[in-house]
């Protein structure tokens, strides 16, 4: 049996990885970089969305910070993953006598993820003076469970398909990483402060368009959401200075507009994303984002 005092054995290991280091790894070190982070493998036919390959955001794309590690230790010590009530599709597969390895690993990861996130939701919001906060978080949590439940029945599901990320957690790390990155750049290279501010506004417009897609498109249909590409875009446009390559990533796909070089002006055309306030998400040991985050009614 795994020693509960060994966090490095947890499926989401504690490490120095951040949102940006994950993005850099995809850009620089993965031989099939584009296919592992682009949303272009998400197809839309007859009103239905489906992934052709697992390029969506997953639980392992979320940094494993102290509170998640603490929750994972509690889950392991009390064997809470074994007590998880599985949603219909996953439950049906789990009861089969012969199970594909890809389904087996997905169900195991789902059970652990469910127990960890559920523990965090109740630990953070169970004693809240505002009962709406817990109800809102539980609704977002159930939306994530149903998304995981639907994904495992995708006709393309195969080896390497991981459990989707929990939007509230992923969104918090993604947005905070964006704000912190450009804040540090302005501190290090103050002479270019106006330029960093321009890059920040551009990146936030990308984040807003990504959040809008979640609320309007993927969340209502329980589809795993794409990765947020604000850093990928910044890297190809400003670091590598390859705007043509960035455009080519999306050309001819339903995401052709993602290849547009300037998106700041487009942010005015994006409808307001209504995400009821939960007062921040306390899944880490730092300051949560001030953004109001949750699932639309």
């Amino acid at each position: 049996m795994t020693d509960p005092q060994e966090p490095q054995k947890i499926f989401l290991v504690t490490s120095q990885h951040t949102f940006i280091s994950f993005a850099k790894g995809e850009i620089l070190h993965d031989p099939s970089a584009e296919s592992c982070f682009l949303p272009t493998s998400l197809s839309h036919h007859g009103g239905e969305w489906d992934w052709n390959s697992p390029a969506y955001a997953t639980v392992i794309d979320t940094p494993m910070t102290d509170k998640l590690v603490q929750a994972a230790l509690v889950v392991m010590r009390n064997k809470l993953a074994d007590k998880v009530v599985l949603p219909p599709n996953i439950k049906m597969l789990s009861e089969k006598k012969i199970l594909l390895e890809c389904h087996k690993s997905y169900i195991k990861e789902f059970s652990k993820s469910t127990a960890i996130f559920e523990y965090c939701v109740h630990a953070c919001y169970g004693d809240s003076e505002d009962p709406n906060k817990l109800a809102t978080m539980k609704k977002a949590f159930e939306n994530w469970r149903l998304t995981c439940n639907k994904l495992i029945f995708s006709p393309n599901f195969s080896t390497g398909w991981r459990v989707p990320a929990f939007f509230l957690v992923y969104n918090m790390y993604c947005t905070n990483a964006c704000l912190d990155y450009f804040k540090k750049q302005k501190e290090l290279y103050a002479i270019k402060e106006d330029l960093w501010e321009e890059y920040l506004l551009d990146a936030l417009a990308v984040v807003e368009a990504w959040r809008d897609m979640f609320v309007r498109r993927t969340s209502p249909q329980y589809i795993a959401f794409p990765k947020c590409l604000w850093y990928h875009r910044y890297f190809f446009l400003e670091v590598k200075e390859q705007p043509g390559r960035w455009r080519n990533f999306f050309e001819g796909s339903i995401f052709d507009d993602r290849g547009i070089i300037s998106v700041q002006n487009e942010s005015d055309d994006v409808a307001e994303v209504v995400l009821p306030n939960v007062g921040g998400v306390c899944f880490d040991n730092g300051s949560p984002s001030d953004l109001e985050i949750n699932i639309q009614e």
Side-chain angles (χ1 to χ4, degrees):
M1 183 175 73
T2 306
D3 186 343
Q5 300 303 314
E6 297 181 351
Q8 71 275 13
K9 297 292 182 64
I10 301 173
F11 77 105
L12 282 174
V13 296
T14 177
S15 70
Q16 297 303 310
H17 285 303
T18 63
F19 182 87
I20 291 176
S21 70
F22 283 137
K24 285 182 177 178
E26 291 174 338
I27 295 169
L28 300 174
H29 304 302
D30 194 305
S32 58
E34 293 87 353
S35 64
C36 77
F37 65 76
L38 291 177
T40 49
S41 60
L42 180 58
S43 59
H44 185 245
H45 300 290
E48 293 291 329
W49 294 85
D50 197 17
W51 287 94
N52 298 318
S53 64
Y56 52 87
T58 73
V59 289
I60 62 170
D61 294 314
T62 304
M64 192 65 173
T65 53
D66 288 350
K67 284 197 174 181
L68 288 175
V69 170
Q70 291 167 11
L73 291 174
V74 172
V75 166
M76 294 175 65
R77 183 171 61 249
N78 298 323
K79 299 182 179 179
L80 298 182
D82 297 337
K83 303 175 184 178
V84 167
V85 177
L86 301 176
N89 292 349
I90 296 178
K91 185 175 187 298
M92 183 172 66
L93 284 173
S94 70
E95 294 172 346
K96 286 190 173 183
K97 293 183 179 180
I98 300 177
L99 197 61
L100 294 176
E101 190 60 38
C102 61
H103 289 149
K104 187 184 300 184
S105 60
Y106 184 91
I107 293 171
K108 181 178 180 181
E109 188 172 62
F110 171 80
S111 298
K112 290 181 179 179
S113 299
T114 298
I116 290 171
F117 290 144
E118 189 169 31
Y119 177 85
C120 285
V121 166
H122 286 281
C124 290
Y125 298 99
D127 297 326
S128 174
E129 295 180 0
D130 183 357
N132 290 329
K133 288 185 177 180
L134 177 59
T136 300
M137 286 298 296
K138 289 174 72 173
K139 181 179 178 182
F141 175 68
E142 183 61 18
N143 180 278
W144 169 77
R145 278 173 46 88
L146 293 176
T147 298
C148 297
N149 182 63
K150 184 173 182 178
L151 183 67
I152 201 170
F153 266 23
S154 166
N156 302 310
F157 191 94
S158 184
T159 302
W161 287 56
R162 309 295 296 262
V163 170
F166 186 11
F167 178 79
L168 296 190
V169 179
Y170 182 96
N171 178 73
M172 180 188 68
Y173 288 126
C174 166
T175 307
N176 281 349
C178 181
L179 297 172
D180 291 344
Y181 178 80
F182 290 108
K183 178 182 177 181
K184 290 177 182 177
Q185 296 307 305
K186 282 192 277 188
E187 292 172 351
L188 292 172
Y189 309 102
I191 194 172
K192 297 181 178 181
E193 182 175 355
D194 290 344
L195 188 61
W196 294 122
E197 185 64 24
E198 181 181 335
Y199 290 158
L200 171 61
L201 292 176
D202 193 70
L204 288 177
V206 172
V207 174
E208 186 67 14
W210 167 78
R211 293 176 71 215
D212 183 72
M213 181 180 180
F214 171 81
V215 172
R216 293 178 179 277
R217 302 287 185 264
T218 59
S219 173
Q221 294 192 40
Y222 306 116
I223 301 298
F225 58 86
K227 298 178 183 182
C228 185
L229 302 181
W230 72 262
Y231 183 81
H232 300 74
R233 185 177 186 280
Y234 163 77
F235 185 88
F236 281 104
L237 266 58
E238 310 302 340
V239 178
K240 299 194 75 172
E241 298 183 337
Q242 297 178 344
R245 186 178 179 193
W246 181 255
R247 281 195 299 266
N248 290 338
F249 285 157
F250 304 94
E251 190 173 8
S253 75
I254 59 175
F255 295 95
D256 190 68
D257 61 328
R258 296 296 191 266
I260 296 174
I261 302 306
S262 178
V263 297
Q264 286 187 47
N265 293 334
E266 292 185 0
S267 61
D268 295 333
D269 298 327
V270 176
E272 180 182 0
V273 180
V274 182
L275 301 171
N277 183 20
V278 294
V281 182
C282 58
F283 282 65
D284 70 343
N285 61 339
S287 299
S289 168
D290 292 331
L291 293 176
E292 298 181 352
I293 306 169
N294 214 309
I295 307 299
Q296 188 180 36
E297 290 286 353

